[in-house]
Amino acid sequence: MYKYQSIAHQILHLIEEGEYEEQIPPVRKLMEVFGASQSTVTHALQHLVTMNQVYAKANVGYFVLSNNHKEATVENSYDFSTASTSWTDFPWENYSQCLEIAIQNKKTELFTYGAITGNEELKDLFRKLLEEDQIYTKNERIIITSGSQQALHILSLIIMTRKKSILIEQPTYS
């Protein structure tokens, strides 16, 4: 086991014991506690970030991700289809952290559609799922869109350029 892994394991143990409830001590303090270099402690903290145990706030420090969220059931799920959702127990910290990570890691592609026909890995997984139901096709024949607007745009282009009919089974928005 590498030293950063050992430190990460010890920090995780301290979190579980309630020693670190909200914020992890500063890197300099952890360097003293574990007798390690700054890069080793930072590597350990990044390892915990990767494990979704802590999250980092730039120029502030590392914070414990709360594990007090409940498993999603019908009673405590969040309905995003309307604006009338009760937001009182919504896990804002976790949601905010996910957004921060997405913005940091995917800046250039966050607000784009991506590949016109969809993500190739997702298409491959979907093709395999169809095969389980004895429906066989090729990835080139599967189109995954980012929403109904993109789907309607692609369909209208096909109709206008190829003058062909399209069969859609049970179209709906609900």
Side-chain angles (χ1 to χ4, degrees), residues 45-54:
L45 291 168
Q46 287 301 318
H47 184 65
L48 290 172
V49 168
T50 305
M51 294 171 54
N52 290 324
Q53 298 297 319
V54 301

Side-chain angles (χ1 to χ4, degrees), residues 14-27:
L14 290 168
I15 291 170
E16 289 169 356
E17 295 293 317
E19 184 76 25
Y20 304 147
E21 293 181 4
E22 292 181 17
Q23 187 171 4
I24 305 292
V27 173

Side-chain angles (χ1 to χ4, degrees), residues 126-137:
F126 189 67
R127 181 187 50 78
K128 289 175 183 173
L129 184 64
L130 288 172
E131 286 176 357
E132 290 176 11
D133 289 331
Q134 308 299 314
I135 301 170
Y136 300 99
T137 188

Side-chain angles (χ1 to χ4, degrees), residues 36-98:
S37 68
Q38 181 178 359
S39 63
T40 302
V41 170
T42 303
H43 196 175
L45 291 168
Q46 287 301 318
H47 184 65
L48 290 172
V49 168
T50 305
M51 294 171 54
N52 290 324
Q53 298 297 319
V54 301
Y55 66 95
K57 282 189 178 179
N59 301 319
V60 178
Y62 290 87
F63 295 83
V64 178
L65 272 173
S66 62
N67 291 325
N68 59 1
H69 56 277
K70 304 171 198 165
E71 289 295 315
T73 63
V74 174
E75 294 83 35
N76 65 8
S77 62
Y78 303 101
D79 181 10
F80 288 99
S81 66
T82 66
S84 64
T85 299
S86 170
W87 297 99
T88 53
D89 1 324
F90 189 76
W92 286 109
E93 286 184 26
N94 293 358
Y95 185 68
S96 173
Q97 178 58 26
C98 289

